[in-house]
């Protein structure tokens, strides 16, 4: 066991965690509590309901339906249920949609771990879980967003949402120029996972 | 556990208590001792400090979203327009 308590660098920590999970699984299987097949089935069932496409659909619907956008702003937990989604994997988790505007940009983080709305965004990308992003985006959001290729004008207010507790956040980006007349599926294709986190802008490639 | 009191009404200023708890705690260090404004009330939830300890009775607590101005957290490094919003239980807060 002593090797599992080696210095805490990112990849070592992941290796330690993986070893710990494997050991727990071994013990659970040996005592007949579960089987590898049952574990795979549960993980697959969970992951099949989680996808950034779900979040993209929420955004596209908000762009097309002002009533839905209003309901999303007021109570996202209830509004996304209209599309068959839930905000969190726990039943009492709250979802909050934060809307970008010409004067406001939103970006989400979990400085304590890697919380975000899994069902709407899929498993978080490695950088979202990395200490570099988690520690820097609260302190220097404009610098971090610049590294993602987002140039936030001085006149725009940046709001960083640190999901430390029972709320999960989704960013609703602004509808891009050139997307007029597109249907829901076509709009969804413009909305990447980074757009839902606030580290990307949807774009049609057209300039004003 | 305090009842619903004016101290934690939306719009009020609060300070995050400084804590060096060895147990589970979900107030990030960068807001300890910092002042912010209650932006919204989320609801009442099981306190994570208790939920993390098997066998410990779980208290419920009111959860608030607190807005901290970047300058209040980072001094001159903070952009004057920017803010960080953090979800904090009333147990972690005191009136400021």
């Amino acid at each position: 066991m002593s090797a599992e308590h080696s210095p805490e660098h990112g990849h070592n920590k992941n290796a330690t965690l993986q070893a710990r999970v494997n050991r727990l699984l071994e013990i659970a299987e040996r005592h007949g509590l579960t089987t590898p097949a049952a574990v795979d089935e549960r993980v697959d069932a969970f992951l099949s309901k989680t996808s950034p496409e779900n979040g993209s659909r929420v955004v596209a619907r908000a762009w097309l339906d002002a009533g839905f956008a209003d309901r999303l702003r007021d109570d996202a937990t209830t509004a996304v249920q209209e599309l068959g989604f839930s905000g969190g994997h726990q039943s009492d988790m709250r979802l909050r949609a934060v809307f970008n505007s010409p004067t406001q940009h939103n970006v989400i983080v979990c400085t304590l771990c890697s919380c975000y709305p899994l069902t709407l965004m899929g498993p978080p990308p490695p950088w979202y879980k990395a200490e570099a992003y988690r520690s820097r985006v609260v302190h220097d959001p404009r610098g971090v967003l610049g590294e993602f290729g987002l140039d936030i004008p001085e006149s725009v207010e940046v709001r960083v949402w640190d999901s430390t507790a029972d709320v999960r956040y989704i960013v609703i980006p602004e509808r891009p120029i050139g997307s007029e007349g597109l249907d829901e599926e076509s709009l969804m294709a413009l909305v990447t996972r980074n757009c839902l986190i606030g580290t990307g802008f949807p774009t049609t490639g057209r300039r004003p | 556990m305090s009842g619903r009191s004016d101290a934690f009404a939306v719009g009020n200023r609060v300070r995050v208590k400084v804590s060096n708890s060895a147990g589970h705690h979900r107030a990030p260090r960068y807001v300890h001792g910092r002042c912010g404004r209650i932006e919204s009330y989320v609801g009442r939830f099981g306190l994570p400090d208790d939920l993390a300890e098997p066998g410990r009775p779980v208290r419920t607590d009111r959860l608030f979203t607190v807005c901290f101005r970047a300058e209040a957290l980072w001094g001159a490094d903070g952009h004057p327009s920017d803010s960080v919003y953090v979800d904090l239980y009333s147990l972690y807060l005191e009136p400021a």
Side-chain angles (χ1 to χ4, degrees):
Chain A
M1 292 293 278
S2 62
E4 290 186 11
H5 298 278
S6 57
E8 301 280 288
H9 292 293
H11 59 282
N12 282 352
K13 261 200 272 188
N14 287 341
T16 304
L17 187 61
Q18 186 63 54
R20 207 172 280 167
V21 169
N22 289 343
R23 186 85 182 105
L24 276 170
L25 277 174
E26 272 172 39
I27 295 167
E29 285 160 19
R30 195 188 314 138
H31 289 270
L33 298 172
T34 187
T35 64
V39 171
D40 287 348
E41 198 179 300
R42 283 294 291 270
V43 171
D44 288 347
F46 174 66
L47 290 180
S48 71
K49 289 186 221 139
T50 72
S51 166
E53 273 188 26
N54 297 343
S56 304
R57 185 174 295 283
V58 170
V59 170
R61 183 67 59 89
W63 286 344
L64 291 170
D65 179 344
F68 177 74
D70 287 343
R71 294 193 292 281
L72 191 64
R73 198 186 297 267
D74 289 346
D75 177 2
T77 316
T78 307
V80 299
Q81 288 169 8
E82 295 175 29
L83 307 183
F85 305 139
S86 66
H89 50 286
Q90 289 168 27
S91 55
D92 62 347
M93 200 79 88
R94 304 294 170 83
L95 181 71
R96 179 163 174 183
V98 287
F99 286 66
N100 288 348
S101 75
T103 57
Q104 191 184 112
H105 182 80
N106 296 279
V107 60
I108 63 174
V109 64
C110 173
T111 59
L112 296 178
C113 41
S114 57
C115 299
Y116 87 5
L118 285 168
T119 50
L120 299 178
M121 300 195 196
W127 60 259
Y128 186 82
K129 300 186 269 187
E131 284 176 9
Y133 176 76
R134 289 157 48 207
S135 58
R136 289 183 57 224
V137 77
V138 285
H139 178 243
D140 180 21
R142 288 166 190 267
V144 171
L145 293 170
E147 291 168 27
F148 279 94
L150 273 58
D151 181 24
I152 308 295
E154 278 294 306
S155 58
V156 171
E157 171 194 348
V158 176
R159 296 184 172 186
V160 182
W161 300 86
D162 187 357
S163 32
T164 46
D166 296 84
V167 188
R168 297 292 172 267
Y169 294 90
I170 179 173
V171 174
I172 308 299
E174 286 188 281
R175 185 168 172 171
I177 288 161
S179 67
E180 302 79 8
L182 295 183
D183 65 10
E184 189 167 293
E185 298 294 322
S186 308
L187 288 171
M188 281 173 64
L190 306 177
V191 184
T192 63
R193 181 170 55 190
N194 280 17
C195 298
L196 306 170
I197 296 174
T199 53
F201 287 142
T203 177
T204 56
R206 293 230 330 242
R207 293 268 157 201
Chain B
M1 199 67 41
S2 60
R4 183 172 293 274
S5 69
D6 291 335
F8 297 134
V10 170
N12 283 12
R13 279 175 61 78
V14 288
R15 181 185 295 105
V16 182
K17 293 177 191 167
V18 175
S19 158
N20 200 27
S21 164
H24 189 64
H25 192 67
R26 293 197 71 84
R29 294 269 172 172
Y30 73 90
V31 296
H32 285 200
R34 305 297 179 170
C35 292
R37 181 182 50 80
I38 295 185
E39 188 257 354
S40 56
Y41 170 63
V42 180
R44 192 174 268 281
F45 296 88
L47 194 65
D49 309 43
D50 293 339
L51 288 165
E53 298 288 334
R56 188 198 277 189
V58 177
R59 292 166 285 176
T60 62
D61 195 7
R62 289 178 295 150
L63 180 65
F64 297 96
T65 303
V66 180
C67 171
F68 298 89
R69 303 204 49 88
E71 288 174 314
L73 298 175
W74 319 114
D77 280 351
H79 191 284
S81 316
D82 298 350
S83 311
V84 182
Y85 291 74
V86 185
D87 298 320
L88 297 163
Y89 292 94
S90 77
L91 191 71
Y92 306 158
L93 303 173
E94 59 193 12

